[in-house]
Amino acid sequence: MQTISGRSVAGRSACTARVANRARKVCVTRAAATVEKHEEKAVGASWQFTQPAGKGLGFYTGAEDGYLYCDQMRVEDIRHKVPESPFYLYSWNRIAHNYAEYKKALAGLDSLPCYAVKANNNFVIMKQLAAAGAGAVLVSGNELKLATKAGFDPKRTILNGNGKLPWELELAAEMGVNINIDSEFDLENIAAAARKTGKKVSVLLRINPDVDPQVHSYVSTGLASSKFGIRNSHIKWFLDEIRKEPLLELVGVHSHLGSTITKVNIFRDAAVIMCDFVKMIRAEGFQLKYLNIGGGLGIDYSHQGQVLPTPTDLIDTVRDIVKELGLTLVIEPGRSMVATGSALVNTVTGVKTNGSKNFIVIDGSMATLIRPSLYGAYQHIELTKPHSTPVQTFDVVGPICESGDYLGKDRELATPSKGDGIVVHDAGAYCMSMASNYNLKMKPAEYMVENGSLRKIRHEETLEQHLAVFEGL
Ligand code: LLP
């Protein structure tokens, strides 16, 4: 058996996709220092990673044939239809299912589920989520413009952020968007926007409950030391200032602890603290309506079938608090709505070895999907068809001129050939929306499987479009 590493692969020659599936479980336990440091459990939602071929939901390996599927379609067949590579592939049914899980979880409560557009701003996906009834949480004026074009009702959106600009606040005030107050200067700017537009603005106070979300420091936001949110000790000052401004109406409190959270008791702890703030603010004479607990629910990036909290677990942990205080619950899920609904589909450029290290070089890169390079995040990698080649340990890397350009490290995979398909899973959130043109790689095309058919939902960017920004200078 030919290997590229020179290491023995005795006993592994009959590698099928199944063996590769088992082998990958070995490699995921090695993926230390990831964003998604979950508490590992033996059983869980592993059903979703292997389902009956052609009959499953989202991305899964066909139980009978070892091919990778997106809903009813083989990803291998899709690759041969699609001219571009790499490309993002989405399962609309999976995203719709994730949203439906939130709707189901919220039954019996007054609620406003707001999709966090920063996770994925594909216009088609935004339009479909707006049509499904979602609200939106926005972090820039451009997100707000796109959200309203996509059909989100501005009154069911929230503008968030620690550095909102005057034009963004004026646009939000004009449109009737709810605005989070993040600091003293932010409050001043919001009041100025209200006066300039002559509109009454509904505002929420972003409070840091100072609960540790136990996640990577880059995505932890709810601690007292965070750059987001007001100084809690200064809350009375904020209330007095709001009281002085007749165009501002304080309608709620907001907290966002962080992202990739895997324990619901963290949300509960924060909600209990927020509840005390609600009581205190009401005692000051304000009619608060909203408790916004932000987003942050993690997903099983490891594909080990971990038991992670579901939307129902999350909502049920705060249900009594919300009911008791007669509040409307606002949630802002991004990742848990869209991450599992996409994979980045790449083509193998070649396989090489440098002494003891093996590499699969693919056409996707840190420019297409930066989470592994930026956060050391683990995203599961899988070949699109079954292979009977030796399983070896590979780093899966892109063509960018940086050693930090990798999609996965120490992955046990069957040895692919040039031109084979290889996907990076769970790419629906913070992947395309964080893509760049580094090394002049153009942002990739996006395709979606919807009820059994494939449609293009974004064109690949072109060099001509890039050159256009220099025209006439
Ligand atoms: N609400 C607020 C105020 C947020 O800051 C965020 C995300 C969300 C909602 C949505 O959180 P989610 O449900 O998606 O966890 N680029 C990082 C994630 C940054 C998240 C920033 N805030 C990553 O790739 O993991």
Side-chain angles (χ1 to χ4, degrees):
M1 185 68 52
Q2 184 83 31
T3 76
I4 60 163
S5 68
R7 271 193 276 165
S8 166
V9 288
R12 292 209 226 157
S13 56
C15 169
T16 63
R18 297 236 144 278
V19 177
N21 272 351
R22 275 201 299 278
R24 77 193 182 192
K25 295 182 181 177
V26 176
C27 71
V28 287
T29 55
R30 287 189 199 139
T34 63
V35 169
E36 57 284 346
K37 270 195 168 170
H38 319 294
E39 198 182 301
E40 307 281 336
K41 290 186 184 158
V43 289
S46 54
W47 63 268
Q48 76 186 42
F49 306 122
T50 305
Q51 299 179 47
K55 299 200 171 74
L57 173 68
F59 289 86
Y60 62 93
T61 306
E64 298 84 356
D65 59 11
Y67 276 85
L68 179 69
Y69 282 80
C70 176
D71 295 345
Q72 303 89 329
M73 302 176 84
R74 278 185 177 169
V75 175
E76 188 61 13
D77 295 340
I78 294 174
R79 286 181 65 231
H80 292 116
K81 284 189 194 143
V82 167
E84 304 91 350
S85 180
F87 64 93
Y88 280 95
L89 179 64
Y90 294 86
S91 155
W92 170 250
N93 288 350
R94 176 78 211 191
I95 295 172
H97 171 86
N98 293 346
Y99 179 58
E101 289 291 298
Y102 272 105
K103 291 292 290 175
K104 199 167 78 187
L106 289 165
L109 281 181
D110 287 334
S111 66
L112 178 53
C114 291
Y115 167 58
V117 167
K118 70 175 88 170
N120 191 308
N121 57 32
N122 180 285
F123 194 47
V124 174
I125 293 174
M126 285 172 69
K127 280 199 283 195
Q128 299 199 171
L129 284 173
V137 59
L138 310 159
V139 289
S140 71
N142 286 342
E143 278 195 2
L144 170 55
K145 285 183 188 174
L146 202 66
T148 46
K149 270 188 194 301
F152 286 98
D153 173 0
K155 298 208 161 30
R156 288 166 55 80
T157 65
I158 297 163
L159 181 65
N160 203 10
N162 64 321
K164 302 185 279 300
L165 299 173
W167 75 266
E168 298 177 310
L169 292 170
E170 284 157 27
L171 184 69
E174 195 61 59
M175 288 179 163
V177 169
N178 300 288
I179 304 178
N180 272 345
I181 300 170
D182 189 85
S183 62
E184 288 84 348
F185 77 78
D186 196 39
L187 172 55
E188 225 172 80
N189 291 348
I190 297 167
R195 286 194 292 267
K196 186 160 177 191
T197 56
K199 302 279 179 177
K200 193 151 182 125
V201 178
S202 297
V203 291
L204 292 87
L205 263 184
R206 179 158 178 173
I207 294 172
N208 284 321
D210 202 18
V211 169
D212 184 358
Q214 300 167 29
V215 296
H216 191 288
S217 62
Y218 287 12
V219 296
S220 169
T221 51
L223 290 169
S225 56
S226 168
K227 76 164 180 167
F228 300 99
I230 63 161
R231 251 188 305 171
N232 296 357
S233 57
H234 221 197
I235 196 158
K236 283 258 169 52
W237 179 89
F238 281 92
L239 298 179
D240 289 342
E241 289 301 301
I242 295 168
R243 214 180 260 123
K244 280 188 221 159
E245 182 50 71
L247 285 175
L248 297 186
E249 186 186 359
L250 184 62
V251 294
V253 289
H254 172 251
S255 73
H256 173 72
L257 298 173
S259 209
T260 68
I261 299 170
T262 54
K263 296 179 188 123
V264 282
N265 62 314
I266 291 173
F267 289 100
R268 170 82 190 179
D269 293 348
V272 168
I273 292 167
M274 294 300 285
C275 181
D276 288 341
F277 281 109
V278 169
K279 288 179 186 158
M280 189 271 264
I281 295 169
R282 280 183 170 169
E284 291 278 325
F286 292 91
Q287 303 294 312
L288 290 193
K289 180 177 175 199
Y290 296 117
L291 172 64
N292 184 342
I293 59 166
L297 207 57
I299 62 152
D300 181 9
Y301 279 111
S302 75
H303 283 217
Q304 284 192 300
Q306 296 164 293
V307 181
L308 294 185
T310 62
T312 299
D313 296 332
L314 167 65
I315 305 305
D316 282 352
T317 196
V318 297
R319 183 176 286 274
D320 57 335
I321 294 179
V322 174
K323 283 222 152 182
E324 204 179 294
L325 291 176
L327 291 160
T328 296
L329 181 67
V330 184
I331 49 163
E332 304 178 337
R335 186 186 319 271
S336 51
M337 287 265 286
V338 288
T340 53
S342 176
L344 175 67
V345 184
N346 309 272
T347 304
V348 173
T349 308
V351 176
K352 65 187 266 188
T353 184
N354 279 352
S356 59
K357 194 95 176 152
N358 302 321
F359 298 93
I360 299 175
V361 184
I362 63 174
D363 51 6
S365 68
M366 68 188 288
T368 346
L369 192 156
I370 200 176
R371 297 188 71 257
S373 300
L374 186 59
Y375 310 114
Y378 181 92
Q379 289 189 221
H380 197 65
I381 293 180
E382 186 173 354
L383 298 168
T384 52
K385 65 178 185 197
H387 285 255
S388 52
T389 48
V391 170
Q392 300 186 85
T393 304
F394 293 99
D395 279 7
V396 180
V397 301
I400 298 290
C401 284
E402 276 209 32
S403 296
D405 174 29
Y406 74 93
L407 285 307
K409 285 199 168 154
D410 296 328
R411 303 302 174 91
E412 300 221 349
L413 291 162
T415 308
S417 302
K418 269 185 202 173
D420 281 348
I422 182 165
V423 305
V424 181
H425 279 288
D426 304 313
Y430 308 108
C431 292
M432 183 58 174
S433 64
M434 293 176 75
S436 76
N437 295 121
Y438 190 36
N439 282 207
L440 271 190
K441 295 290 176 187
M442 294 296 126
K443 288 189 193 155
E446 296 183 291
Y447 287 83
M448 178 185 271
V449 175
E450 188 171 2
N451 300 325
S453 48
L454 182 69
R455 64 188 276 222
K456 191 172 200 172
I457 58 166
R458 180 176 171 137
H459 296 293
E460 185 179 26
E461 287 180 8
T462 63
L463 187 60
E464 290 65 38
Q465 286 166 336
H466 180 77
L467 281 169
V469 300
F470 301 101
E471 255 165 36
L473 298 176

